C-alpha cells in the first residue's frame, strides 16, 4: 500500500481483542537508530494504548534489519510470547543491497510466523532516501511502528 494514500498511524481498532494478558516481543534494528527508536516508541505506545502491560512488552535489539529474522525466531520460540513485532529501516543506496535485505527479511519473518504459528509482524521501512524514511517514522506519512503494533493486535484476534 502506498503511504501517500493512507497514513501509517491510522487504523481501525473495533476488532481488537483484549491484550491485557498478552506478551509482545519487539525486535528493533540498531542500524538507522534515530529512525528505529521512533518506530519502537510508536509500537510501544500503541500497545499500551490498547491495554498491554508495560511488563509484558520486551524490547530486544539486533545490529541491523537483516538480523530481524533471527531475533524474531529467538523470541517466537518462547511459548509465553504471543506476538513479535520487527522494526527496521532499509534505505536504498548506490548498490542493490536493499533488494537482498528486504527480500530476505520478508521471507524470513514469514517463515518464523508459520513455524511458530503466531503473529510475526513485518515493520520494515523500505525507502529510496532518508527523507522518505523519516516521513514514515512519525512524519507526514505516520509511523510504521504504530501500524505494526496495530497489525499484531489485529492478528491476535484472528
Amino acid at each position: 500500500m502506498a503511504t501517500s494514500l493512507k497514513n501509517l498511524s491510522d487504523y481501525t481498532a473495533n476488532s481488537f481483542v483484549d491484550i491485557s494478558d498478552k506478551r509482545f516481543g519487539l525486535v528493533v534494528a540498531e542500524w538507522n537508530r534515530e529512525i528505529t527508536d521512533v518506530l519502537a516508541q510508536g509500537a510501544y505506545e500503541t500497545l499500551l494504548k490498547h491495554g498491554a502491560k508495560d511488563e509484558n512488552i520486551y524490547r530486544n535489539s539486533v545490529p541491523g534489519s537483516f538480523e530481524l529474522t533471527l531475533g524474531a525466531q529467538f523470541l517466537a520460540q518462547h511459548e509465553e510470547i504471543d506476538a513479535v513485532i520487527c522494526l527496521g529501516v532499509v534505505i536504498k543506496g548506490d548498490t542493490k543491497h536493499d533488494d537482498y535485505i528486504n527480500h530476505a527479511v520478508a521471507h524470513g519473518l514469514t517463515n518464523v510466523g508459520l513455524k511458530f504459528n503466531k503473529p510475526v509482524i513485518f515493520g520494515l521501512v523500505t525507502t529510496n532516501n532518508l527523507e522518505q524514511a523519516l516521513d514514515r517514522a512519525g512524519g507526514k506519512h505516520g509511523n510504521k511502528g504504530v501500524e505494526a503494533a496495530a497489525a499484531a493486535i489485529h492478528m491476535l484476534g484472528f
Side-chain angles (χ1 to χ4, degrees):
M1 160 188 25
T3 51
S4 62
L5 302 177
K6 182 182 183 306
N7 188 295
L8 294 166
S9 297
D10 291 341
Y11 58 89
T12 303
N14 58 6
S15 64
F16 284 3
V17 296
D18 177 13
I19 60 168
S20 59
D21 65 341
K22 301 295 184 188
R23 290 186 173 91
F24 297 87
L26 298 179
V27 184
V28 183
E30 291 178 341
W31 193 262
N32 292 309
R33 190 173 189 152
E34 68 281 2
I35 299 169
T36 60
D37 281 347
V38 175
L39 300 175
Q41 188 65 32
Y44 175 77
E45 289 173 359
T46 301
L47 293 172
L48 291 178
K49 175 181 176 181
H50 293 288
K53 295 177 185 158
D54 177 67
E55 62 269 17
N56 289 340
I57 303 171
Y58 308 94
R59 179 179 169 158
N60 297 274
S61 297
V62 293
S65 292
F66 186 80
E67 292 79 22
L68 289 170
T69 300
L70 186 56
Q73 182 167 292
F74 286 159
L75 289 176
Q77 69 187 352
H78 296 285
E79 287 184 30
E80 64 272 10
I81 297 293
D82 296 293
V84 179
I85 300 168
C86 300
L87 303 167
V89 179
V90 178
I91 299 172
K92 187 170 185 67
D94 294 331
T95 67
K96 294 178 67 165
H97 78 285
D98 60 307
D99 289 339
Y100 300 115
I101 293 171
N102 296 338
H103 179 77
V105 174
H107 185 73
L109 295 182
T110 299
N111 286 336
V112 172
L114 294 172
K115 178 179 179 179
F116 293 102
N117 200 32
K118 61 180 68 173
V120 176
I121 306 301
F122 180 88
L124 192 64
V125 172
T126 60
T127 63
N128 291 317
N129 56 53
L130 179 61
E131 180 182 350
Q132 289 176 341
L134 293 169
D135 287 345
R136 289 154 180 79
K140 69 181 182 181
H141 292 304
N143 187 320
K144 182 74 172 174
V146 170
E147 180 193 50
I153 298 167
H154 185 87
M155 288 304 295
L156 287 172
F158 192 76

